[in-house]
Amino acid sequence: MSAVRVAGVDVGGTGVRVGVQELGSNALGPRTDRPVPATVGETGLDAAAVLALAVPALEALLADPAADMPPTVDTIAVGATGFALLGGDLRKRLPQALADRFRARRVILASDAVTAYAATLGTMPGAVIAAGTGAVGLGLAPLEGWRRADGWGHLLGDEGGGAWIGCEGVKAALRAYDGRPDGSPQLLDALLGRFGPPQRLSGLIQPSPQRAGLLAAFAPDVAACAHDGDARAHAILNRAGRALAETAHAAAPDDGSASIACAGKLFRIGDALLGPFEARLRELRPRIRIVASNGEPLDGALRLAAAAATGAWTLPADDALLVLTHFDNVDEQKGRS
């Protein structure tokens, strides 16, 4: 009898990551990364674009040359950036499409904040601050359910996230180019190396559907300039750290001693961001416990899928954040199709 497999999909601002895991196995299952950002259209996150990236990647991971049947998986969990506000097309089209293609019995759709939470805190009460291209805080209290803060997108919020840092860095570089106060010649040099002449910057970034990812790509340059002593870049990271702390505080349960976990690549920037983050968080919550992340959002998606497949599901459902769809008669549906 073949092993039961579950799959996870992480749809992020800089790419789509896919993984497969055998239930009961401690070995890390196969994974792949498609560095193509999720497409946002008039209906929000584009389900067809997500399927075009995720389905071939899953097929490749599940392929068995010796098998006569198409690849199958018991449960698939998809965590997507912007799902709470832009996930309408995903909710409408993804569950049935994935169930049909992989004969899945369950499909989970979630915000990437939920998958980050599952990766770091599991089912424990607390909060996670997820910071990558964007930034969102998500808390879970035993009697209240989920509590979300920020995650409004790079035009309206996501304060302290990668796109926010990149945008602030670009602004400081352009101030230097214009000769205005508070500009940074060092950030200007970095901008020229990353994007080329400033005159082409607006045409490159503003019309692009991948605007957030382009701005976030400049965040490592801001961090590098801060590391090299640039005061303007250092001030941007200081503000980012404090903003992320305030988002985490807003999302966390009212119990002042709740655990808060940091998730996302942005926290790898180092002390220039982590220092002000921890200092501001301890100002707001002196008894807080800051815990290290135990994995990435893809790990959280796989944990959600495994929990649903084994009957260990305990996280509260939420129409905006976490939706589990059952396809218990998928075999019959296939037989009638």
Side-chain angles (χ1 to χ4, degrees):
M1 185 174 182
S2 60
V4 176
R5 295 180 292 186
V6 298
V9 181
D10 174 40
V11 181
T14 56
V16 174
R17 289 154 286 278
V18 177
V20 174
Q21 188 71 38
E22 288 187 3
L23 292 182
S25 173
N26 292 324
L28 188 67
R31 302 184 177 202
T32 190
D33 188 346
R34 299 291 176 93
V36 180
T39 301
V40 178
E42 293 182 359
T43 59
L45 289 163
D46 190 329
V50 171
L51 288 168
L53 291 168
V55 168
L58 267 177
E59 288 175 337
L61 294 182
L62 293 165
D64 182 355
D68 297 336
M69 300 288 291
T72 63
V73 65
D74 183 88
T75 302
I76 302 173
V78 181
T81 184
F83 177 73
L85 302 177
L86 300 173
D89 197 38
L90 301 191
R91 292 181 184 89
K92 181 179 178 181
R93 300 174 60 186
L94 241 62
Q96 190 69 60
L98 291 172
D100 287 347
R101 181 63 191 86
F102 296 103
R103 303 173 72 89
R105 299 176 67 84
R106 303 164 197 85
V107 175
I108 301 162
L109 299 183
S111 163
D112 62 345
V114 172
T115 54
Y117 193 103
T120 55
L121 296 176
T123 60
M124 291 171 47
V128 63
I129 174 71
T133 300
V136 61
L138 190 68
L140 179 61
L143 300 179
E144 298 177 31
W146 297 108
R147 180 188 290 182
R148 177 174 162 269
D150 207 346
W152 295 114
H154 71 286
L155 292 178
L156 302 177
D158 287 358
E159 294 183 23
W164 185 93
I165 291 173
C167 186
E168 292 299 307
V170 167
K171 290 177 182 177
L174 294 180
R175 293 184 74 87
Y177 182 81
D178 291 341
R180 290 179 286 157
D182 296 325
S184 166
Q186 195 167 340
L187 283 170
L188 176 59
D189 288 342
L191 182 143
L192 293 171
R194 172 75 61 179
F195 297 115
Q199 291 84 353
R200 65 185 291 265
L201 197 58
S202 291
L204 174 69
I205 291 179
Q206 295 197 64
S208 174
Q210 315 305 339
R211 186 189 307 114
L214 288 171
L215 289 170
F218 195 56
D221 297 291
V222 177
C225 289
H227 183 268
D228 290 340
D230 184 74
R232 191 75 183 87
H234 196 275
I236 291 170
L237 294 185
N238 184 283
R239 288 169 54 208
R242 293 178 64 84
L244 293 172
E246 289 163 4
T247 297
H249 168 67
D254 292 333
D255 176 8
S257 62
S259 297
I260 291 183
C262 304
K265 295 180 180 179
L266 201 62
F267 285 104
R268 299 174 189 169
I269 281 179
D271 289 343
L273 184 140
L274 277 173
F277 169 80
E278 293 187 0
R280 178 58 175 150
L281 196 52
R282 295 195 187 283
E283 287 177 8
L284 296 167
R285 290 178 175 249
R287 296 187 295 124
I288 198 68
R289 295 192 301 273
I290 301 174
V291 300
S293 172
N294 291 323
E296 303 292 338
L298 179 56
D299 299 304
L302 288 165
R303 290 183 187 180
L304 291 179
T310 58
W313 184 272
T314 59
L315 292 175
D318 184 289
D319 288 343
L321 296 170
L322 180 60
V323 180
L324 169 61
T325 305
H326 291 270
F327 296 92
D328 287 335
N329 295 321
V330 68
D331 291 335
E332 294 179 20
Q333 294 169 8
K334 285 290 184 181
R336 291 196 298 267
S337 62

